[in-house]
């Protein structure tokens, strides 16, 4: 699976949009971009995933560049409860990978009052 | 819908002792994963089951770690004997399985983890 690069930490004011970047310049055509987050003392939580089109759900939006070499996770109105480590993961969606996730260091997002 | 259950939540043992962790996945989830998360790092996959068969155990230290998923439901992870470097949070996750075309159905649901301290 392709390697991802994320900033180690970011800050955001409560109520503002949090934009978390991720670089995955070696992504292959059959690899999806997944985002998970991990709040302190909890297991990781799935947020969103996409292949090439932008995606939106009740938690966040995922913007993938046209060349698919980078993406941005957007939390439109960050709250204090969004403080967590955010992981960007690139993974083969089909074939024999059987859903294996390879976690990096992630980005520590701190939302301030 | 009940989530992934794990027990115990915390365990403290001395090195060279044995320890076992238990996981009950979400009902109907065919795929079960065990991850190890050392403080300050992302989770690392130890073993993955599809029903009761092992799909990937390439990063499982097989000289001391073992895991089983009898009947394709609950799973146990055992460490025998434990070393200081095994201190970590052990996470269990489950998913419906894999979809070869859409990438959906791969969402993994994680349990709260078991925090192991080896003294």
């Amino acid at each position: 699976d392709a390697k991802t690069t994320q900033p180690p930490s970011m800050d955001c004011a409560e109520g503002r949009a949090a934009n978390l970047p991720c670089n995955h310049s070696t992504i292959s055509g059959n690899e999806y971009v997944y985002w998970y987050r991990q709040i302190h003392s909890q297991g990781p939580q799935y947020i969103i995933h996409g292949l090439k089109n932008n995606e939106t759900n009740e938690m966040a939006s995922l913007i993938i560049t046209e060349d698919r070499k980078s993406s941005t996770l957007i939390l439109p109105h960050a709250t204090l409860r969004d403080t967590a480590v955010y992981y960007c993961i690139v993974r083969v969606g089909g074939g024999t990978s059987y859903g294996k996730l390879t976690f990096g260091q992630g980005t520590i997002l701190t939302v301030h009052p | 819908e009940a989530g992934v259950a794990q027990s115990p939540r915390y365990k403290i043992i001395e090195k060279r002792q044995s320890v076992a962790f238990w996981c009950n996945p979400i009902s109907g989830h065919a795929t079960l994963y065990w991850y190890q998360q050392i403080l300050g790092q992302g989770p690392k996959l130890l073993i993955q089951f599809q029903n009761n068969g092992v799909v990937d155990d390439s990063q499982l230290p097989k000289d001391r770690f073992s895991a089983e998923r009898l009947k394709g439901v609950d799973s146990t992870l055992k460490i025998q004997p434990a070393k200081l470097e095994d201190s970590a949070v052990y996470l269990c996750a489950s998913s419906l399985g894999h979809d070869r075309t859409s990438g959906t159905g791969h969402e993994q649901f994680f349990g709260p983890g078991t925090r192991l301290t080896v003294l």
Side-chain angles (χ1 to χ4, degrees):
Chain A
D1 293 341
K3 184 177 177 179
T4 62
T5 303
Q6 299 178 252
S9 64
M10 294 183 65
D11 290 336
C12 178
E14 188 176 21
R16 304 297 294 267
N19 298 288
L20 291 89
C22 179
N23 283 317
H24 31 79
S25 58
T26 60
I27 192 169
S28 300
N30 63 345
E31 289 181 316
Y32 288 71
V33 180
Y34 279 73
W35 284 84
Y36 280 73
R37 74 179 182 183
Q38 188 171 23
I39 295 171
H40 183 62
S41 296
Q42 296 182 22
Q45 175 192 24
Y46 166 83
I47 301 174
I48 198 167
H49 77 281
L51 181 61
K52 56 178 87 172
N53 298 321
N54 298 337
E55 302 287 345
T56 295
N57 62 20
E58 65 278 5
M59 290 183 67
S61 294
L62 174 61
I63 309 298
I64 302 174
T65 57
E66 193 169 341
D67 63 7
R68 303 210 320 124
K69 293 185 177 182
S70 65
S71 60
T72 301
L73 179 74
I74 301 173
L75 308 179
H77 306 285
T79 70
L80 299 179
R81 286 174 294 183
D82 291 322
T83 293
V85 180
Y86 287 77
Y87 296 100
C88 171
I89 301 164
V90 174
R91 182 173 65 75
V92 175
T96 58
S97 69
Y98 285 90
K100 178 178 178 178
L101 296 174
T102 302
F103 289 83
Q105 297 284 85
T107 295
I108 300 172
L109 174 68
T110 303
V111 181
H112 298 285
Chain B
E1 176 182 86
V4 176
Q6 290 188 247
S7 68
R9 290 296 312 277
Y10 304 91
K11 189 73 177 179
I12 300 174
I13 62 173
E14 295 190 349
K15 60 183 179 183
R16 292 189 288 273
Q17 285 188 321
S18 302
V19 65
F21 312 124
W22 174 81
C23 173
N24 180 239
I26 292 173
S27 178
H29 280 194
T31 310
L32 185 145
Y33 313 80
W34 282 102
Y35 289 84
Q36 179 193 59
Q37 186 171 25
I38 293 172
L39 187 64
Q41 300 181 16
K44 181 184 82 173
L45 180 70
L46 292 176
I47 189 168
Q48 178 177 345
F49 292 93
Q50 180 75 9
N51 297 308
N52 60 350
V54 175
V55 174
D56 185 348
D57 62 358
S58 57
Q59 297 195 88
L60 186 74
K62 299 180 185 63
D63 57 334
R64 298 183 301 106
F65 285 64
S66 65
E68 60 182 10
R69 190 183 184 198
L70 299 176
K71 301 180 182 178
V73 181
D74 292 5
S75 177
T76 55
L77 176 69
K78 298 179 181 178
I79 307 175
Q80 180 179 7
K83 293 185 176 181
L84 296 177
E85 59 261 36
D86 298 331
S87 293
V89 175
Y90 291 84
L91 294 160
C92 179
S94 70
S95 71
L96 281 168
H98 94 285
D99 185 308
R100 289 181 180 271
T101 56
S102 70
T104 57
H106 294 164
E107 175 185 351
Q108 293 184 24
F109 295 85
F110 285 79
T114 296
R115 182 176 297 279
L116 173 67
T117 302
V118 182
L119 303 176

